[in-house]
Amino acid sequence: MPDGWIILDKPVGLGSTQAVGAVKRNLREAGIFERWGKVKVGHGGTLDPLADGVLPIALGEATKLCGRMLDASKLYAFTVRFGAETDTLDLEGRVIAESDVRPRPAEVEAVLPRFTGPIEQVPPAYSALMVDGQRAYDRARAGEAVELKARGVTIHSLEILPGEDRCEEITLVAHVSKGTYIRSLARDIARALGALGHVTMLRRLRAGPFAEEQAISLDKLNEIGKGAPLENVLLPLEAGLVDIPALDLGPEQARAVRQGRVLTGLAFRDGLYWARSGTVPVALVELSGGSLTVSRGFNLPDVAE
């Protein structure tokens, strides 16, 4: 059974659901479904069609980590073009306000500390957030005035891309917490400068532990459907766990964990671990006061029975 990650360098114009569909199509064409039956496939964090870059796609048992991937921090590069604000806050929208102000890079850099650390931001009206049972973007497209509440996010770092010296637009790199809207960040930075702006380029450079160096193109993915080995593009399940420590278990301990039993008397620091038997992941576990409890078990072969 294929269990692991395909890190797709998603192109502009392709939605995250379409990207998952592309993976399923290639698995089907490669005979994976015929050999193994239905293989679960899911993505680890939506990436807008306008954006490109790192989109982790989980297969099999790795889909159990999709929720954790959604909660992970992300790294983005994005370009803000000054002079106009659009209703979608990006290139796809219609211009709703214009300004002659074109801040210089030094002025932009001076306001960035105001947008670093814990901040409050109002999500874009054109977002997938639910408003009274409907997606905000559906209400906005219907012509409704969508009012969304500000919410707290964290901008871990925010800086101008080295070499930027333009005034019409500027490219920034931001390391952000889950729930951060880059389009809102761009809007607020522009307004803080007495200007208006919208996003013209958005690229995800990292999602949790996965970086763009690990990502494959859509063309490379399509080679799988034409007979290329899946192993050429599939990262192991544990590649999604490299940011937390591993905990080695003996055969009896691994059997107990697979059965969901609590282990006690373990001399390890409290926290989140991934437990393994040899090199095979057994479970995502929590340690507290020497006791181990299972957060998420993995049904992988060659684990001690």
Side-chain angles (χ1 to χ4, degrees), residues 4-297:
W5 301 91
I6 292 175
I7 313 304
L8 184 65
D9 191 337
K10 188 192 80 63
V12 171
L14 190 72
S16 299
T17 301
Q18 292 173 306
V20 169
V23 170
K24 289 181 177 179
R25 173 177 54 79
N26 277 280
L27 294 179
R28 183 169 56 253
E29 292 174 356
I32 301 296
F33 291 162
E34 183 179 345
R35 180 181 177 187
W36 295 104
K38 187 174 181 180
V39 177
K40 290 183 179 179
V41 183
H43 64 75
T46 301
L47 195 55
D48 289 345
L50 175 70
D52 65 1
V54 176
L55 179 64
I57 298 179
L59 275 61
E61 289 295 288
T63 58
K64 294 178 179 179
L65 296 173
C66 282
R68 184 171 181 273
M69 205 58 59
L70 292 172
D71 290 342
S73 64
K74 313 290 193 302
L75 184 69
Y76 294 95
F78 63 103
T79 299
V80 185
R81 181 173 297 162
F82 297 110
E85 186 174 301
T86 67
D87 55 0
T88 60
L89 304 181
D90 59 28
L91 272 177
E92 296 182 332
R94 62 181 180 86
V95 174
I96 56 174
E98 294 182 275
S99 167
D100 293 329
V101 178
R102 303 291 189 273
R104 299 195 63 81
E107 296 174 288
V108 177
E109 189 164 16
V111 303
L112 296 187
R114 292 164 55 180
F115 296 94
T116 305
I119 66 169
E120 294 279 321
Q121 69 169 199
V122 177
Y126 285 81
S127 66
L129 295 175
M130 300 298 291
V131 179
D132 296 329
Q134 280 188 283
R135 298 290 184 187
Y137 55 65
D138 287 332
R139 291 183 173 274
R141 287 168 184 159
E144 293 184 36
V146 179
E147 297 288 339
L148 296 173
K149 295 180 179 178
R151 58 188 199 172
V153 297
T154 300
I155 312 300
H156 301 293
S157 65
L158 180 61
E159 58 187 13
I160 297 174
L161 196 69
E164 287 286 303
D165 59 1
R166 298 167 293 172
C167 295
E168 291 294 325
E169 59 183 33
I170 196 160
T171 300
L172 305 168
V173 177
H175 179 205
V176 303
S177 71
K178 70 169 185 175
T180 301
Y181 282 92
I182 297 297
R183 288 175 291 150
S184 292
L185 183 61
R187 172 200 63 202
D188 296 343
I189 290 171
R191 289 180 180 178
L193 290 159
L196 295 172
H198 62 280
V199 171
T200 61
M201 184 281 292
L202 177 59
R203 178 169 177 78
R204 186 189 280 167
L205 305 175
R206 175 177 284 274
F210 298 117
E212 61 179 339
E213 293 80 13
Q214 297 167 289
I216 63 167
S217 67
L218 194 58
D219 287 342
K220 184 77 171 177
L221 173 66
N222 289 336
E223 290 177 7
I224 303 305
K226 298 173 183 176
L230 179 61
E231 308 87 74
N232 288 357
V233 300
L234 188 68
L235 300 179
L237 178 147
E238 57 266 31
L241 299 170
V242 296
D243 54 338
I244 59 174
L247 181 65
D248 290 306
L249 302 177
E252 290 301 321
Q253 291 174 315
R255 184 179 299 112
V257 168
R258 290 200 72 203
Q259 294 170 353
R261 288 186 276 149
V262 175
L263 297 182
T264 59
L266 298 177
F268 292 94
R269 190 174 298 176
D270 291 356
L272 184 69
Y273 294 79
W274 66 278
R276 63 188 178 188
S277 176
T279 60
V280 179
V282 177
L284 198 61
V285 299
E286 286 274 359
L287 257 115
S288 178
S291 294
L292 177 152
T293 55
V294 177
S295 298
R296 202 71 165 143

